[in-house]
């Protein structure tokens, strides 16, 4: 069951909403700012001196701040029309394709009890939904969530002064749940927001949510940044990097702004944890992510992402020890490099640790994936990499990410009869595995070349390898960065290790090869 609910409401409901309020002033757009240049899609707080942050809790109300911000927040209502396939009915009791009709019994039942034939199915179904958004510039561009408008056949936008306009979709990005729409024939002197810097947010900062929960327009709620960099919220979740907040957001808040107390937009309210699971847990798309996508959404209507051709993972403490890195090292561990990909041509290798992209620190695999995605195809990604304890620089010319992604296959291949007989197995009690050489039969079974690694014939239940995730049928390609071609190579590499050391194994499972750190003798 999904624990996350996207917050777009499909009906009007009354609800009691409680929110703390404070006071402050903001360097934001007035209700009628001077017209911005046509080529400027949005106003960025970084382009001007930062405004003062609202005082908390010296003053008693946030009313002056909300009065400044409310005019630029809009209510979005959509209509969706779904076509229903027509079913050709023949004479009663006769199927035009031969035989009886599937609905024959139902039709007879309906006519017997209601005195008339069963009604025809409608040719189309209409649905409606409500969401929120905010005005970016005086040309009527509005930022909202993709799921608010994605299937809409009609979009209506209502301003805080009750004026209503039609709108069209300019661009959508389902992977980040961001959409750009524009008013049709926008009026002059539209109020607009200022986009802030979501990277500057800290846990505990106050934030203010404005929107239309349950259709209750112009609702304001106050909370804090509960956490940052939350992954796995959207289905797929490759580019998730959500801000978590306890500011009350509900169905209908989708697409609305999350402000800091300078009155700058720092997020787009997007999802909540299901009320059956928990309360006060909402998520917002960081505005810096949206700012990076906006030019493409306006010009192309979609987002084209960069592609290096690597699969990466986070560095665990065991992997840090296994690679001999300094404790606390952060980065993205390269597990695989796609053959003939940009990364392969540039010289990246499995086992490299990417610590910076274009001079910006990379602390996690997700940060690298998101960062590369924002590099336009044809441009160069400058990577700082740790290899053998030394920093190296690589310039990689990024290409367009394939539609189906570059993910290396993760098919798990069970361990059949590895061949070689019991006498060919080699015990490794320090790790809790039995290994065997790869015979031609085993090579064909696992899709590897003879002499390329050794196969795991058995795993001791509860042993170090078992706890680390090694499985029967895995092919060990390296031990402590040394290639393994025979069981003797594995035995030699492990013999040098003592209790508490870490054996760094490179393991092939199916089509993917990954690094797994196994503590010798179970020590940590």
């Amino acid at each position: 069951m999904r624990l996350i609910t996207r917050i777009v409401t499909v009906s009007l409901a009354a609800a009691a909403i409680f929110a703390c309020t404070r006071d402050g002033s903001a360097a934001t757009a007035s209700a009628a700012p001077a017209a911005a240049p046509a080529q400027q899609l949005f106003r960025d707080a970084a382009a001007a001196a930062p405004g003062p942050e609202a005082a908390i809790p010296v003053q008693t109300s946030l009313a002056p701040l909300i009065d400044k911000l409310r005019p630029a927040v809009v209510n979005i209502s959509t209509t969706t029309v779904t076509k229903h396939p027509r079913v050709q009915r023949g004479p009663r009791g006769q199927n035009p394709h031969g035989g009886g009709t599937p609905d024959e019994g139902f039709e007879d039942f309906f006519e017997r009890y209601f005195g008339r034939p069963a009604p025809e199915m409608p040719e189309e179904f209409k649905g409606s939904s409500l969401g929120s958004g905010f005005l970016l510039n005086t040309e009527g561009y509005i930022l909202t969530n993709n799921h608010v408008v994605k299937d809409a056949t009609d979009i209506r936008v209502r301003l805080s002064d009750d004026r209503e306009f039609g709108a069209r979709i300019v661009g959508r990005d389902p992977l980040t749940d961001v959409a750009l729409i524009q008013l049709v024939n926008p009026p002059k002197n539209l109020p607009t927001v200022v986009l802030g810097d979501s990277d500057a947010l800290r846990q505990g900062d106050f934030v203010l949510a404005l929107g239309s929960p349950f259709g209750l327009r112009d609702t304001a709620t106050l909370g804090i940044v509960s956490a940052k960099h939350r992954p796995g919220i959207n289905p797929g979740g490759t580019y998730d990097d959500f801000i978590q907040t306890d500011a009350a957001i509900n169905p209908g808040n989708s697409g609305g702004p999350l402000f800091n107390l300078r009155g700058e937009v720092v997020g787009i309210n997007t999802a909540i944890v299901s009320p059956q699971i928990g309360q006060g847990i909402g998520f917002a798309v960081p505005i810096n992510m949206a700012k990076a996508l906006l030019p493409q959404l306006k010009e192309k209507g979609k987002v084209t992402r960069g592609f290096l051709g690597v699969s990466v993972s986070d560095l665990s403490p065991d992997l840090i020890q296994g690679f001999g890195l300094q404790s606390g090292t952060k980065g993205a561990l390269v597990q695989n490099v796609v053959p003939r990909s940009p990364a392969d041509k540039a010289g990246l290798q499995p086992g490299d640790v990417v610590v910076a992209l274009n001079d910006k620190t990379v602390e996690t695999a997700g940060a690298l994936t998101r960062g590369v995605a924002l590099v336009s195809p044809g441009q160069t990604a400058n990577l700082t990499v740790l290899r053998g304890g030394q920093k190296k620089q690589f310039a990689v010319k990024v290409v367009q990410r394939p539609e189906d992604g570059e993910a290396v296959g993760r098919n798990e291949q069970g361990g059949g009869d590895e061949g070689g007989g019991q006498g060919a197995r080699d015990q490794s009690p320090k790790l809790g595995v039995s290994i065997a050489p790869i015979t031609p039969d085993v090579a064909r079974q696992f899709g590897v070349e003879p002499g390329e690694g050794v196969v795991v014939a058995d795993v001791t239940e509860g042993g170090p390898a078992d706890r680390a995730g090694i499985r029967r049928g895995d092919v060990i390609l390296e031990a402590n960065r040394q290639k393994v071609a025979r069981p003797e190579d594995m035995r030699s590499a492990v013999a040098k290790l003592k209790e508490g050391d870490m054996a760094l194994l490179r393991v092939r499972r199916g089509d993917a090869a990954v690094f797994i750190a196994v503590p010798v003798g179970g020590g940590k």
Side-chain angles (χ1 to χ4, degrees), residues 146 149-151 169-174 178-180 297 301-303:
N146 172 67
V149 299
K150 65 175 181 178
D151 296 319
I169 296 175
V170 177
R172 301 187 300 111
D173 183 44
V178 172
L180 181 67
L297 292 177
K302 63 179 184 178
V303 175

Side-chain angles (χ1 to χ4, degrees), residues 160-475:
S160 63
D161 60 8
D162 286 332
R163 287 182 294 172
E164 187 171 300
F165 302 89
R168 67 180 183 92
I169 296 175
V170 177
R172 301 187 300 111
D173 183 44
L175 293 178
T176 56
D177 204 4
V178 172
L180 181 67
I181 65 175
Q182 185 182 23
L183 298 181
V184 177
N185 299 319
K188 295 182 179 179
N189 299 323
L190 283 170
T192 62
V193 299
V194 173
L195 304 188
D197 180 8
S198 53
D199 288 346
L201 282 177
R202 297 180 301 167
Q203 187 178 36
D205 283 351
F206 284 99
V207 285
L208 175 70
L210 294 182
S212 303
F214 300 107
L216 300 171
R217 295 168 49 208
D218 300 333
T219 295
T221 57
L222 180 70
I224 64 169
V225 174
S226 304
K228 295 177 64 178
H229 307 302
R230 290 298 195 204
I233 307 303
N234 276 323
T238 303
Y239 303 104
D240 285 2
D241 190 34
F242 283 94
I243 300 165
Q244 181 184 328
T245 179
D246 68 349
I249 53 180
N250 289 284
N253 274 113
S254 277
L258 188 70
F259 292 100
N260 62 20
L261 295 191
R262 294 189 182 92
E264 302 159 354
V265 178
V266 291
I268 308 170
N269 299 320
T270 300
I272 57 174
V273 167
S274 173
Q276 288 77 24
I277 304 300
Q279 300 288 332
I281 304 177
F283 302 96
V285 175
I287 201 63
N288 285 10
M289 179 182 292
K291 285 195 288 188
L293 304 179
L294 279 172
Q296 290 195 63
L297 292 177
K298 181 184 178 183
E299 298 301 324
K300 300 188 295 185
K302 63 179 184 178
V303 175
T304 301
R305 292 180 163 84
F307 173 70
L308 284 182
V310 295
S311 61
V312 291
S313 69
D314 292 335
L315 277 174
S316 67
D318 285 353
L319 286 171
I320 290 173
Q321 182 181 349
F323 278 97
L325 300 173
Q326 185 176 352
S327 178
T329 298
K330 296 183 181 297
L333 173 63
V334 177
Q335 295 280 13
N336 291 282
V337 178
V338 177
R340 297 178 296 278
S341 67
D344 187 30
K345 295 175 182 176
L348 265 71
Q349 300 175 2
D352 287 343
V353 178
V354 181
V355 295
L357 168 64
N358 292 335
D359 296 325
K360 185 175 181 179
T361 300
V362 170
E363 294 191 349
T364 65
L368 179 63
T369 300
R370 292 188 296 270
V372 171
L374 296 177
V375 178
S376 299
Q379 293 186 347
T380 298
N382 295 302
L383 303 179
T384 302
V385 169
L386 292 178
R387 179 184 294 174
Q390 301 296 318
K391 283 190 175 181
K392 294 181 176 292
Q393 303 293 326
F394 292 88
V396 186
K397 188 174 183 180
V398 173
V399 299
Q400 181 174 337
R401 183 183 179 91
E403 291 297 326
D404 58 351
E406 95 294 353
V408 177
R410 295 185 179 180
N411 297 328
E412 296 181 358
Q413 201 161 4
D417 182 9
E418 290 79 13
Q422 185 73 23
R425 298 187 178 188
D426 188 29
Q427 303 293 325
S428 182
K430 285 187 176 181
L431 303 183
V433 293
S434 296
I435 55 176
I438 298 182
T439 65
D441 287 342
V442 172
R444 283 193 297 269
Q445 178 184 355
F446 290 98
V448 297
E449 294 295 326
E452 185 185 7
V454 294
V455 69
V456 176
D458 197 12
V459 180
T460 302
E461 184 176 356
D466 184 36
R467 294 196 300 271
I470 300 293
R471 302 177 183 177
R472 185 170 179 264
D474 286 346
V475 176

Side-chain angles (χ1 to χ4, degrees), residues 118-173:
E120 295 281 347
M121 292 292 291
E123 293 186 7
E124 59 184 29
F125 295 96
K126 287 188 176 181
S128 61
S129 65
L130 293 174
S132 304
F134 47 98
L135 286 156
L136 294 177
N137 66 16
T138 56
E139 295 177 351
Y141 284 96
I142 294 170
L143 195 57
T144 186
N145 280 142
N146 172 67
H147 73 264
V148 171
V149 299
K150 65 175 181 178
D151 296 319
T153 52
D154 181 61
I155 303 174
R156 305 297 297 177
V157 174
R158 178 170 292 186
L159 307 186
S160 63
D161 60 8
D162 286 332
R163 287 182 294 172
E164 187 171 300
F165 302 89
R168 67 180 183 92
I169 296 175
V170 177
R172 301 187 300 111
D173 183 44

